[in-house]
């Protein structure tokens, strides 16, 4: 298990969808709008059970490859007006961010979502972060986390565990997305929490157990 480097500033990364925010109703409605415009049947109820990978990775299940970029652009246009206003913070999200700040830390969001739309989400719910990196997934999240100096990454997806591992950060998983506690543990998460309401106590314990600076 990775540990906080003595003397290093605390930086904690969070995923967005189904980690900090419940975006499912708005995402479902946006896919329904795309289906209505294009005449292509899309199982939006299925899609919202497997959020995590970037938009294009989902669209290839419903559209030929040559149409994916066009549909993705339209989806993102509609998303601003349909999905952003419908999002709500998940239980404990605000408290988790406040806990990091209470320990003098930085909060970064690293997400597969289109960055400008992720920013609109955070602005809508009033959650302030120190940095936001969008449109990254799995291993790419590791590069973003490493660039921000994150020692902890909190997410709900197996791809988030991959990203934390790539950054040599602690992988803290929350069972608020498509995977349950057992699956997250088996995937190698360093800690698995039922939801973010448990994060402040976990963080306090983690920091209390970190080695003290020498000298």
């Amino acid at each position: 298990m990775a540990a906080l480097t003595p003397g290093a500033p605390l930086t904690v990364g969070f995923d967005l969808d189904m980690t900090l925010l419940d975006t499912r109703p708005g995402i479902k409605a946006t896919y329904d709008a795309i289906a209505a415009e294009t005449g292509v049947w899309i199982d939006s109820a299925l899609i919202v059970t497997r959020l995590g990978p970037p938009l294009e990775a989902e669209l290839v299940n419903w559209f030929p490859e040559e149409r994916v970029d066009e549909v993705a652009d339209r989806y993102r246009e509609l998303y601003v007006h349909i999905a952003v206003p419908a999002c709500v913070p998940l239980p404990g999200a605000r408290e988790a961010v406040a806990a990091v700040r209470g320990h003098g830390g930085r909060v970064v969001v690293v997400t597969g979502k289109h960055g400008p739309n992720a920013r609109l989400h955070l602005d809508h719910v009033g959650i302030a972060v120190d940095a936001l990196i969008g449109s990254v997934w799995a291993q790419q999240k590791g590069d973003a986390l490493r660039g921000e100096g994150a020692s902890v990454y909190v997410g709900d997806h197996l791809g988030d565990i991959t990203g934390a591992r790539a950054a040599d950060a602690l992988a803290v998983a929350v069972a608020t997305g498509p995977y349950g506690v057992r699956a997250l543990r088996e995937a190698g998460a360093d800690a698995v929490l039922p939801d973010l309401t448990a994060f402040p106590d976990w963080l306090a314990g983690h920091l209390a157990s970190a080695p003290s600076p020498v000298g």
Side-chain angles (χ1 to χ4, degrees):
M1 181 184 291
L4 184 66
T5 302
L10 172 66
T11 299
V12 176
F14 291 91
D15 177 47
L16 189 70
D17 292 313
M18 302 314 300
T19 298
L20 284 174
L21 304 181
D22 186 350
T23 52
R24 290 172 299 183
I27 288 174
K28 184 180 186 302
T30 306
Y31 275 109
D32 289 342
I34 287 290
E37 282 194 4
T38 62
V40 173
W41 180 76
I42 300 173
D43 191 345
S44 59
L46 172 63
I47 290 172
V48 296
T49 68
R50 60 189 188 196
L51 300 179
L55 171 63
E56 289 80 1
E58 182 60 58
L59 289 176
V60 296
N61 295 312
W62 313 102
F63 293 90
E65 188 173 351
E66 61 270 18
R67 292 200 63 192
V68 166
D69 287 345
E70 162 211 341
V71 176
D73 287 345
R74 181 56 178 155
Y75 175 97
R76 289 177 176 126
E77 290 174 0
L78 292 170
Y79 192 97
V80 171
H81 308 288
I82 298 173
V84 169
C87 76
V88 293
L90 282 163
R94 297 185 192 281
E95 293 81 0
V97 170
V100 177
R101 299 213 188 282
H103 290 285
R106 297 174 63 247
V107 175
V108 301
V109 166
V110 178
T111 174
K113 188 177 294 299
H114 182 54
N117 285 351
R119 174 61 66 187
L120 289 173
H121 271 302
L122 291 169
D123 290 346
H124 175 72
V125 300
I127 293 179
V129 300
D130 297 287
L132 167 65
I133 301 95
S135 298
V136 288
W137 173 241
Q139 191 81 16
Q140 296 172 332
K141 288 192 171 189
D143 295 336
L145 291 164
R146 191 179 292 278
E148 291 294 329
S151 59
V152 175
Y153 185 53
V154 187
D156 66 284
H157 201 283
L158 304 190
D160 298 328
I161 298 173
T162 299
R165 287 275 173 266
D168 194 27
L170 277 167
V172 178
V174 285
T176 45
Y179 297 96
V181 169
R182 180 175 178 179
L184 294 166
R185 283 202 183 106
E186 290 177 348
D190 294 301
V192 180
L193 310 176
D195 57 39
L196 284 178
T197 62
F199 181 77
D201 285 345
W202 176 86
L203 181 63
H206 168 60
L207 294 176
S209 65
S212 300
V214 177

